[in-house]
Amino acid sequence: MSANHEDHHHAPDGHGRALRLGIGGPVGSGKTALVAALCRSLGPSLRLGVVTNDIYTTEDADFLRRAGVIDADRILAVQTGCCPHTAIRDDIAANIDAVETLEERFGPLDLVIVESGGDNLTATFSRGLADRQIFVLDVSGGDKVPRKGGPGVTAADLLVVNKTDLAPMVGADLTVMSRDAAKVRDGKPVLFTSIREDKGAHSVAEWVVGIVDTWQHQHAHTV
Amino acid sequence: MHGDMAMLLLADSRLPAGGHAHSGGAEEAVRVGAITGPEDLARFLRGRLATAGVVTAALAAAACEVGSNPQPGRWQRLDAEADARISSPAQREASRTQGRLLVRTTRRIWPSESLETLAQAVPDGAHHPVALGAAAAAAGCEPRQAALAAAYTSVTAPATAAVRLLGLDPVLVHRLLADLAPALNDAAHEACVIQADDWSDLPAHAAPALDLLAEQHLRTEVRLFVS
């Protein structure tokens, strides 16, 4: 029966739709601050949408709306029923629904950012939801975290180590973090940021522009 | 067809259709102190099965029957019957959201005329039991299997939510679910009695406490679940 029906409700090949970028990481590492920074840096040049996965309330979505970095209507909040992890990996239905709602309302878009709820080091995005993903750590979680690895640290397309301004205060050795991350990530990029000091997270924004360009080049509408 | 297997997939909480984020009123019941432990939870589940569970099972069975001969007008009429049986606007919204996500997921698993016509007839999202019945038909289930899956998920969702929210012993909670087997059978039986197009006779049990919980839940600031 399935032979006559193409699976056209989902576009794994990505033609004609925005790049979907997942941003995950532990609680308090700076995911929402990074989303705000990317909106600040990329808003003028890219057509954006944002989906947040709050754990309790719509706090992250509200923070972004108050920050005024993106039109409030372009932010949708998804609730995750005690399991932020489930909503980005095992049962992505509500997140896909939110992403497609944004594309229908405001499309065409260049980039939809999906911010996960704060979770642990094993959290990763399903490939059915995110085309690329960033994992955000912060130095105050301890400089051993990159060595411990976990799917988020090892497999994300970009690892961001945030709050470098706090490194001297918490005794974190950035050289150790950089060396360990390089070892477990097999050459994939790592960027160190202090979003408190660099409100546009410019190095990360530059990386995102690169992947959006590549995506659009590869997935341009050919019909 | 392979109705038994399809029924298991549809009833499984791991079906990726957004169900994990709904507590069926359990989150608010926990917040206001109506569920504090296994005894309260057992009563809550029994009450939910006898009211919302029977109604949802009957609608799913009717939808499964429509799915074998799907027409846009029949979907719209059955969806209106579901609408009339859910008095709380918050629950109607939650039901449509779950229905929309279920159709999104199941039309990729079981591509079919049943689900395509439903998606076109009710584009903003059919009610959850209607979507469940349509998916069951697409997957090769009989109406009774659709009813069982609907009745079963009407109690497993709040049971799982209570385990997460109160830290209840999950084995004990599964025992409570197992104890509901006769009631679950009765619900599925009642759901399949009416099988004509005269859906006005479908069960319409009201559960005012569940309606109130759903409305309060929507106005509660700190929420982990959608409903």
Side-chain angles (χ1 to χ4, degrees):
Chain A
M1 105 181 138
S2 58
N4 299 326
H5 294 82
E6 279 183 43
D7 184 5
H8 52 84
H9 310 291
H10 174 65
D13 65 351
H15 278 88
R17 67 162 171 79
L19 174 76
R20 297 168 183 175
L21 174 66
I23 296 186
V27 175
S29 59
K31 293 183 295 300
T32 309
L34 178 60
V35 174
L38 290 176
C39 290
R40 254 180 228 113
S41 293
L42 305 175
S45 55
L46 296 180
R47 295 163 295 186
L48 301 175
V50 173
V51 177
T52 64
N53 282 237
D54 289 295
I55 305 178
Y56 311 113
T57 56
T58 53
E59 189 147 327
D60 289 346
D62 293 343
F63 172 86
L64 290 171
R65 289 185 184 115
R66 274 199 309 274
V69 289
I70 179 172
D71 176 7
D73 295 338
R74 289 176 179 248
I75 305 168
L76 288 183
V78 166
Q79 274 154 326
T80 56
C82 279
C83 282
H85 202 155
T86 303
I88 61 162
R89 193 184 64 188
D90 308 298
D91 182 355
I92 57 176
N95 269 307
I96 286 283
D97 190 55
V99 169
E100 290 186 359
T101 299
L102 285 171
E103 295 210 70
E104 275 160 28
R105 275 186 206 157
F106 302 106
L109 298 175
D110 299 306
L111 175 69
V112 178
I113 299 174
V114 181
E115 181 196 345
S116 82
D119 212 312
N120 58 45
L121 295 175
T122 66
T124 50
F125 284 82
S126 160
R127 292 186 219 176
L129 175 61
D131 303 303
R132 299 286 181 274
Q133 47 189 305
I134 297 177
F135 199 74
V136 186
L137 293 176
D138 71 289
V139 300
S140 56
D143 57 14
K144 286 194 282 300
V145 174
R147 187 162 68 238
K148 289 179 181 169
V153 171
T154 57
D157 297 287
L158 173 67
L159 178 67
V160 170
V161 181
N162 188 32
K163 305 190 189 178
T164 52
D165 52 311
L166 296 182
M169 285 165 253
V170 297
D173 186 334
L174 298 181
T175 320
V176 168
M177 294 186 89
S178 176
R179 192 188 61 213
D180 291 346
K183 206 180 292 174
V184 297
R185 285 178 51 74
D186 210 16
K188 289 191 290 292
V190 182
L191 291 172
F192 287 79
T193 59
S194 169
I195 296 169
R196 203 170 64 172
E197 294 165 335
D198 174 10
K199 303 255 183 252
H202 287 94
S203 58
V204 183
E206 197 179 321
W207 180 85
V208 174
V209 167
I211 59 166
V212 170
D213 279 351
T214 308
W215 177 263
Q216 290 181 341
H217 183 68
Q218 288 170 345
H219 298 95
H221 253 309
T222 49
V223 282
Chain B
M1 295 294 276
H2 311 287
D4 284 342
M5 167 66 174
M7 179 182 72
L8 294 174
L9 285 171
L10 284 169
D12 192 336
S13 66
R14 286 166 292 195
L15 182 75
H20 72 98
H22 293 263
S23 80
E27 179 170 36
E28 188 64 13
V30 166
R31 194 185 70 83
V32 302
I35 299 177
T36 57
E39 294 81 13
D40 299 333
L41 177 62
R43 282 194 293 274
F44 182 91
L45 297 177
R46 203 164 282 281
R48 194 166 202 283
L49 182 57
T51 54
V54 169
V55 173
T56 200
L59 289 164
C64 187
E65 192 274 318
V66 173
S68 62
N69 177 21
Q71 293 156 14
R74 295 184 81 204
W75 284 132
Q76 284 158 0
R77 278 204 302 122
L78 184 60
D79 192 67
E81 292 287 345
D83 215 50
R85 283 167 173 77
I86 308 173
S87 42
S88 137
Q91 281 195 27
R92 283 202 295 273
E93 178 69 26
S95 171
R96 287 202 183 280
T97 300
Q98 288 191 84
R100 189 174 71 247
L101 298 189
L102 186 64
V103 169
R104 169 194 293 285
T105 296
T106 54
R107 71 200 288 199
R108 290 185 59 203
I109 304 175
W110 296 286
S112 62
E113 196 191 350
S114 166
L115 288 162
E116 293 309 309
T117 50
L118 176 60
Q120 281 157 23
V122 195
D124 291 337
H127 278 294
H128 182 250
V130 177
L132 182 57
C141 292
E142 301 290 326
R144 183 184 152 74
Q145 291 167 320
L148 269 175
Y152 175 77
T153 52
S154 81
V155 286
T156 51
T160 304
V163 168
R164 291 188 197 161
L165 293 167
L166 290 170
L168 300 181
D169 176 354
V171 179
L172 182 56
V173 170
H174 262 69
R175 179 173 172 157
L176 299 180
L177 289 171
D179 289 344
L180 289 174
L184 200 73
N185 258 322
D186 291 348
H189 179 76
E190 189 180 341
C192 294
V193 171
I194 307 291
Q195 277 306 325
D197 247 12
D198 186 16
W199 294 317
S200 58
D201 287 338
L202 288 175
H205 307 307
L210 287 177
D211 295 338
L212 290 172
L213 287 173
E215 292 301 316
Q216 285 168 18
H217 185 255
L218 204 59
R219 289 157 182 78
T220 300
E221 197 189 339
V222 177
R223 293 187 291 146
L224 293 156
F225 291 84
V226 182
S227 71

